[in-house]
Amino acid sequence: TINGQVYKILYGHLSGAAAEIKVGANVSQGQFLGKTGITGNIRDVPFKHVHIEVRNSANQKIDPGPLFNAKFDPKTGKNDKCK
């Protein structure tokens, strides 16, 4: 739940997900989910990263940037929230 709305958030390309994280698990801000990785079919992205896909209650994909107040730089593939 973010700002009173329920979302489904999928995290892709993780390497070594935390043992307690299972499909459907509730997670909290700041909780360790896993390490960024280079997994799956990502030939055009040669650096470690995480793919975040957010879906609303109607199961429609939505832009996650506004939810996280992130500013994405398409040249570097980074945002101001990543450490």
Side-chain angles (χ1 to χ4, degrees), residues 16-74:
E20 68 274 8
I21 303 299
K22 306 287 184 216
V23 173
N26 290 316
V27 297
S28 301
Q29 182 176 351
Q31 181 178 350
F32 175 78
L33 303 178
K35 297 178 181 179
T36 57
I38 303 176
T39 64
N41 187 11
I42 57 167
R43 290 182 289 266
D44 298 332
V45 185
F47 49 85
K48 290 183 179 183
H49 70 287
V50 63
H51 170 91
I52 299 174
E53 182 176 306
V54 179
R55 294 181 175 259
N56 61 19
S57 59
N59 205 33
Q60 299 166 320
K61 290 182 187 179
I62 63 169
D63 179 3
L67 292 175
F68 302 116
N69 296 318
K71 295 175 186 154
F72 178 72
D73 182 347

